[in-house]
Amino acid sequence: GGAAAISCLTEPKFFQGSDAYLQAVRQRVELPLLRKDFTLDEYQIYEAKCIGADAVLLICSLLSAAQLGEYLAQVQELGLSALVEAHTAGEVQQALAAGAEIIGVNTRNLKDFSVNPVNRLRLRDAIPASKIFVAESGIQCAADTQVLKQAGVQAVLVGEALMRSADAAAMLKEMRDA
């Protein structure tokens, strides 16, 4: 459908994901694959590499500054990439201090799953243009991607809107064209 990469849920308890899903997708596409999971242990980074992921998700609110730095070094050593997810200005600074190259601002509150789209635009200026800024969650249509592009966002992570769409490929094309 024109995606630049695919985010694949592997977290089984809360999101019904599975490593088998990522492995099945890897067999069918050459696109970069993000293992979307709660990475809490370095073992999971090795595991991601073994199951075919190209990138892992590192969530600032779940990791200490030291862990984040160690995990980013491990990711680089294994030839992977990391999407470092932040929710606050402090977490953006933590990501930058650890050396993150790809920083996602998630507008979804991980405690109650509410979405605040203003958060990503509020934090845009905290991330240097030399870093890849990814807007996460709450992106519903092409108009949303247009607003984000105008704000200097380089990438979007869209999940729910595509999953609920009757024609995900057409919706993705509209979002990309915007």
Side-chain angles (χ1 to χ4, degrees):
I6 295 175
S7 171
C8 187
L9 282 167
T10 59
E11 195 289 319
K13 185 176 179 183
F14 297 102
F15 296 106
Q16 292 76 52
S18 170
D19 290 347
Y21 298 158
L22 190 140
Q23 291 169 315
V25 173
R26 173 79 297 149
Q27 291 176 0
R28 290 168 176 80
V29 301
E30 295 293 321
L31 293 173
L33 297 181
L34 168 69
R35 182 185 196 197
K36 194 168 184 190
D37 206 320
F38 297 119
T39 305
L40 301 171
D41 188 280
E42 65 183 333
Y43 176 82
Q44 292 173 281
I45 300 169
Y46 289 104
E47 190 177 51
K49 177 79 172 179
C50 289
I51 64 172
D54 299 291
V56 296
L57 176 66
L58 302 176
I59 303 173
C60 287
S61 64
L62 301 179
L63 302 171
S64 69
Q67 282 177 308
L68 182 59
E70 290 168 13
Y71 290 6
L72 281 170
Q74 183 181 7
V75 161
Q76 187 174 23
E77 182 179 308
L78 292 174
L80 298 172
S81 296
L83 172 59
V84 179
E85 181 174 290
H87 295 86
T88 66
E91 289 176 2
V92 167
Q93 290 309 310
Q94 178 184 349
L96 292 169
E101 293 296 324
I102 306 169
I103 301 173
V105 173
N106 194 338
T107 60
R108 188 174 310 278
N109 181 315
L110 293 180
K111 293 183 177 84
D112 64 14
F113 296 105
S114 62
V115 175
N116 178 3
V118 174
N119 195 40
R120 63 180 155 242
L121 296 178
R122 183 178 58 81
L123 295 175
R124 177 62 193 109
D125 290 339
I127 300 172
S130 62
K131 307 296 181 185
I132 297 172
F133 181 99
V134 181
E136 302 178 37
S137 297
I139 300 156
Q140 299 296 320
C141 61
D144 291 343
T145 58
Q146 183 62 37
V147 168
L148 293 168
K149 182 180 179 182
Q150 290 171 351
V153 173
Q154 292 103 328
V156 294
L157 195 153
V158 181
E160 188 176 341
L162 292 175
M163 297 302 296
R164 293 185 188 280
S165 173
D167 187 344
M171 177 179 248
L172 181 58
K173 182 178 181 340
E174 288 176 22
M175 288 180 164
R176 285 185 55 97
D177 290 349

